Amino acid sequence: MTQDLTALAADLFPDEVVTNAPVQVFDLPGGSGRFALITLDNGFDHTKPNTFGPGGLVRLGAALDQVEAAAANGEIVGVGVTGKPFIFAVGADLKGVEVVRNREQALAIARAGHDTFKRLSALPVPSFAFVNGAAMGGGVEVALACTYRTISSGVPALAFPECFLGLVPGWGGCTLLPKLIGPDAAVTVIIENALSQNRMLKGPKAYELGIADAMFEPVDFLEQSIAWAEQVIAGETAVERKTYSAEDYAAAVARGRQVADSKVHGAAPAPYRALDIIERMATGSDDEGFALEDAALADLIMTDELRAGLYAFNLNQKRAKKPFGAPDKALARPVTKVGVVGAGLMASQFALLFVQRLQVPVVMTDIDQARVDKGVGYVHEQIGLLQLKGRLDQDQANRLKALVSGSLTKDAFADADLVIEAVFEEMSVKQQVFAEVEAVVREDCVLATNTSSLSVTEMASKLRHPERVVGFHFFNPVAVLPLLEIVRAEQTDDASLATAFAVGKTLRKSCVLVKDAPAFVVNRLLTRFLGEVTAAVDEGTPIEVADRALEPLGLPMSPFVLLELVGPAVALHVAETLHAAFPDRYAVSPNLAKLVEAGKKAIYRWDTGVPVIDPEVLELFQPGDAPSSEEQVRDRALAAMAQEIDLMLTEGVVGEAQDIDLCMLLGAGWPFHLGGITPYLDRTGVSEKVAGHRFLAPGVASLPE
């Protein structure tokens, strides 16, 4: 096997950062015998976590050769596996997976992990995983292969992200986790958490679920873990394992299928393959499960959905951290005070985010004291809630509250380095606000607008210093969605833009540089998409038919549920803005206008928890007599998006198609199996049909040709 792995490493993983596995043998402190400790360490700090490529598996295999021989000779009484500081292991090295060319190579990768990890459970002495830091995917599977596990209470993240990416936990996860913690909890970890934007477990929760048998504090975690292992070896501590019935498995898998259907609507194969394996483990052996995992990995690695998922993962991990087209960060000016114009809900969310992340004074203004007090009160209340949740201590909470203040006059912005407006989405209002702010701030103060669709260039046109105005478009809820569209107006200078990017990074947002074009990226695409679906209803398509049309994409929500989230009034405003700019492609739906005029906030009512079309909406709407089928609505919406993306790239709204995909992933929550949107349009042939070309080269987010 070692020769096969070495060949695989040379072929697919030439640049692998190999995780070493040195072995230390020492006397246990209680005198029970000698113990072998394998430490996973790739030689870098925690910013480059341990992963398993073929080379790493070879090194772990060599360590296991050493401990197997020692155990067979009676030289050791136990074996432990731990990680370097802050990191246990985060799974397979995915870089090589992207270039796998055939199923045979994929199957070799799958079998290599199993062949290595299962040696831990076959040792003649007990094996222990001491999970000291972050553990994901194959890292968790190393731990599952051991006889026992301890975990640090400080572990920030433990997860199986595979189904999120388009894979299954294929080195033992689907087989072993249900048997350890029960099939229902395993479905939560493998399926539900992964499909909920890759939700992570912290150390205490992993221990509570039974993934670990003992938990210790970080300060002396390894010492305590070794002492606990000695107690187990000496028979002083026993660990009991539960068993689970076929009925338990059937109920858990049924729930898992409901979760998968609600998240991806059958559009991504990975979660269903994982559930098939879990279901078989009701009666199947470990070896049967491993064989099923091998087959699933080999099949899924050779799908476009997996390649799109890896493309999306790389956008999120790499491109988002080095924004395309951003100016030299050395040009950024320090921001030591922030002003917020407005004290409504959005403005209050801004103030909370700025004070949390920048930890500088933040002052809010509004037109009367009651509004100012309400805005400041909201921020103080949210800080108090963070304290109650244990995310802040008393001193931290008091310090943050003291940094937030309110004022009725914009004179309070005189020493601010950045002022952001969050007022009514009307050009004349925003121009007046910026004129008032410019009259009191320094010449180098950056002025930012959170407009969702208006021209930043026009907004700045009447100022003495238009070069310091930038678009700073957040997505709601501000604290949750990671995207920040940073808009460069015609006269924005590099220093102001660099400052905006530096602030965005400190706010822990993923920033994308966009041109000052109507509605920028996400709103422009979503409005075109939603406009086509709404137009189909206007023409006579039943609401429920139009709303189901995009289910095969596995989007996080249907178009009319999205409309409710955005708000019909906001959607109408953006549609009107885009209609003014592009009247041939963006219409203003008369039925949407009626909805807003009637004060309706949604198409559906949720009285029973299940969406039902509001009868009053049906009375308001006046449909035509030319209905479309679901397929026709879907084709129409996808063609419109392809056309709009092609135009946006031609106009230079963003630098590359990758930026459009990043925006859709992080600002609209579109799933990884779509890769954003352009990989899906490419693989379904919509791009070539509409635009005459692919948006991405073959192999970038799809199988290589």
Side-chain angles (χ1 to χ4, degrees):
M1 186 188 77
T2 299
Q3 288 182 336
D4 293 340
L5 280 176
T6 302
L8 197 65
D11 190 22
L12 297 181
F13 295 75
D15 300 319
E16 178 185 353
V17 177
V18 176
T19 295
N20 294 303
V23 180
Q24 296 172 276
V25 180
F26 51 84
D27 292 322
L28 287 168
S32 300
R34 289 176 66 75
F35 190 85
L37 181 65
I38 301 170
T39 302
L40 305 172
D41 190 347
N42 62 9
F44 292 87
D45 66 15
H46 67 279
T47 61
K48 186 169 283 190
N50 300 323
T51 57
F52 292 110
L57 292 175
V58 168
R59 300 293 173 87
L60 180 56
L64 291 170
D65 289 342
Q66 185 178 339
V67 299
E68 281 173 351
N73 293 332
E75 298 170 9
I76 57 173
V77 295
V79 175
V81 181
T82 193
K84 67 183 181 181
F86 309 111
I87 301 291
F88 185 70
V90 298
D93 183 341
L94 296 175
K95 293 192 295 294
V97 173
E98 298 172 37
V99 294
V100 170
R101 294 182 293 275
N102 55 60
R103 191 178 187 278
E104 289 70 30
Q105 291 176 332
L107 188 61
I109 291 172
R111 288 175 174 166
H114 277 133
D115 290 344
T116 304
F117 292 175
K118 67 184 181 183
R119 294 173 66 187
L120 283 161
S121 57
L123 290 169
V125 295
S127 55
F128 300 83
F130 303 144
V131 183
N132 63 305
M136 297 174 208
V140 182
E141 287 164 318
V142 169
L144 291 175
C146 294
T147 322
Y148 304 98
R149 286 151 296 281
T150 67
I151 195 165
S152 167
S153 62
V155 166
L158 183 148
F160 278 119
E162 284 85 350
C163 288
F164 179 65
L165 295 172
L167 291 169
V168 300
W171 283 348
C174 292
T175 298
L176 300 176
L177 190 66
K179 297 181 179 184
L180 179 67
I181 66 174
D184 193 67
V187 163
T188 296
V189 176
I190 293 172
I191 306 297
E192 189 170 12
N193 286 1
L195 298 183
S196 298
Q197 294 298 306
N198 198 20
R199 184 188 299 146
M200 305 281 176
L201 301 173
K202 294 186 184 298
K205 184 62 178 179
Y207 171 63
E208 179 187 323
L209 286 173
I211 295 173
D213 302 308
M215 182 172 69
F216 303 108
E217 293 301 309
V219 63
D220 56 355
F221 170 72
L222 187 57
E223 293 86 346
Q224 291 291 334
S225 292
I226 291 169
W228 182 85
E230 184 172 16
Q231 292 172 2
V232 173
I233 291 167
E236 298 169 7
T237 295
V239 176
E240 296 183 2
R241 302 285 185 222
K242 294 181 181 179
T243 58
Y244 300 91
S245 68
E247 290 76 15
D248 293 331
Y249 276 85
V253 169
R255 184 177 74 84
R257 294 194 193 284
Q258 290 178 339
V259 170
D261 287 345
S262 70
K263 297 288 188 179
V264 300
H265 308 288
Y272 300 97
R273 288 295 291 268
L275 288 165
D276 288 344
I277 300 169
I278 293 171
E279 185 174 37
R280 292 283 292 277
M281 289 305 95
T283 56
S285 68
D286 289 356
D287 284 342
E288 288 172 331
F290 296 160
L292 291 169
E293 289 175 349
D294 287 342
L297 277 183
D299 291 342
L300 292 168
I301 286 173
M302 298 308 296
T303 63
D304 282 328
E305 287 85 358
L306 183 273
R307 304 307 171 104
L310 293 177
Y311 163 80
F313 178 78
N314 287 330
L315 289 181
N316 197 31
Q317 294 296 311
K318 297 175 183 177
R319 195 177 185 91
K321 294 174 181 176
K322 293 183 178 179
F324 184 84
D328 185 350
K329 60 185 178 182
L331 298 173
R333 295 188 287 265
V335 173
T336 60
K337 180 178 178 179
V338 174
V340 181
V341 184
L345 180 58
M346 183 65 85
S348 299
Q349 290 183 65
F350 292 163
L352 177 64
L353 183 65
F354 279 110
V355 76
Q356 273 186 277
R357 301 290 187 235
L358 271 62
Q359 299 193 12
V360 301
V362 177
V363 59
M364 306 172 71
T365 65
D366 214 313
I367 58 175
D368 60 56
Q369 192 64 47
R371 296 186 191 204
V372 171
D373 291 345
K374 184 177 180 181
V376 173
Y378 171 87
V379 178
H380 285 189
E381 178 185 6
Q382 294 301 308
I383 292 171
L385 290 174
L386 291 173
Q387 183 186 344
L388 286 174
K389 293 176 182 176
R391 293 171 59 184
L392 298 172
D393 62 29
Q394 182 71 56
D395 287 345
Q396 290 171 322
N398 288 343
R399 187 163 61 251
L400 291 181
K401 288 179 181 178
L403 288 171
V404 182
S405 62
S407 174
L408 286 176
T409 171
K410 295 180 179 63
D411 292 343
F413 298 152
D415 56 346
D417 302 294
L418 182 145
V419 176
I420 183 168
E421 67 78 21
V423 299
F424 185 67
E425 190 79 343
E426 173 66 45
M427 181 62 73
S428 60
V429 175
K430 291 181 183 289
Q431 286 180 328
Q432 179 183 343
V433 162
F434 272 164
E436 293 171 355
V437 171
E438 188 177 51
V440 298
V441 298
R442 299 192 315 267
E443 289 188 3
D444 61 352
C445 175
V446 175
L447 304 184
T449 171
N450 184 51
T451 182
S452 59
S453 60
L454 300 177
S455 167
V456 180
T457 300
E458 183 180 350
M459 208 177 295
S461 62
K462 298 181 180 179
L463 299 177
R464 296 192 309 276
H465 295 285
E467 71 278 359
R468 44 130 159 241
V469 178
V470 297
F472 219 56
H473 183 218
F474 291 90
F475 291 80
N476 201 19
V478 171
V480 176
L481 289 177
L483 180 65
L484 180 59
E485 291 178 336
I486 295 184
V487 185
R488 181 169 203 156
E490 289 181 8
Q491 296 189 56
T492 306
D493 62 23
D494 282 351
S496 299
L497 198 64
T499 303
F501 272 99
V503 170
K505 183 177 181 180
T506 307
L507 295 176
R508 301 180 192 172
K509 295 298 182 184
S510 297
C511 303
V512 174
L513 177 64
V514 303
K515 181 182 176 182
D516 185 21
F520 316 127
V521 177
V522 174
N523 282 354
R524 179 166 168 178
L525 282 178
L526 288 182
T527 301
R528 183 78 196 272
F529 164 79
L530 187 58
E532 297 297 330
V533 177
T534 306
V537 173
D538 292 343
E539 293 163 7
T541 305
I543 291 172
E544 61 274 18
V545 172
D547 208 29
R548 282 197 308 266
L550 280 299
E551 277 190 2
L553 275 71
L555 298 177
M557 63 189 73
S558 69
F560 290 136
V561 175
L562 172 65
L563 177 66
E564 180 175 350
L565 178 68
V566 171
V570 172
L572 179 63
H573 170 74
V574 177
E576 290 171 340
T577 300
L578 284 163
H579 174 70
F582 312 116
D584 57 325
R585 302 194 308 279
Y586 288 84
V588 177
S589 165
N591 285 318
L592 178 59
K594 290 177 187 294
L595 199 69
V596 173
E597 185 180 356
K600 304 297 291 186
K601 305 294 185 185
I603 298 284
Y604 296 111
R605 293 180 60 171
W606 299 80
D607 300 346
T608 63
V610 177
V612 176
I613 298 173
D614 187 338
E616 294 180 5
V617 170
L618 289 174
E619 289 183 16
L620 283 170
F621 275 27
Q622 294 181 347
D625 56 3
S628 299
S629 66
E630 289 182 21
E631 183 179 3
Q632 289 171 325
V633 175
R634 181 167 59 254
D635 289 348
R636 172 180 182 167
L638 292 174
M641 291 194 79
Q643 180 191 35
E644 206 60 36
I645 289 167
D646 194 43
L647 290 166
M648 290 166 72
L649 292 172
T650 301
E651 295 167 13
V653 175
V654 291
E656 296 177 334
Q658 286 88 334
D659 293 314
I660 286 178
D661 290 324
L662 187 60
C663 285
M664 296 305 288
L665 289 163
L666 302 183
W670 282 37
F672 269 39
H673 68 258
L674 295 182
I677 182 59
T678 69
Y680 182 83
L681 296 173
D682 283 348
R683 75 172 180 251
T684 55
V686 177
S687 303
E688 293 195 36
K689 181 180 178 181
V690 174
H693 58 85
R694 295 173 61 97
F695 293 120
L696 300 169
V700 171
S702 58
L703 289 166
E705 293 184 346

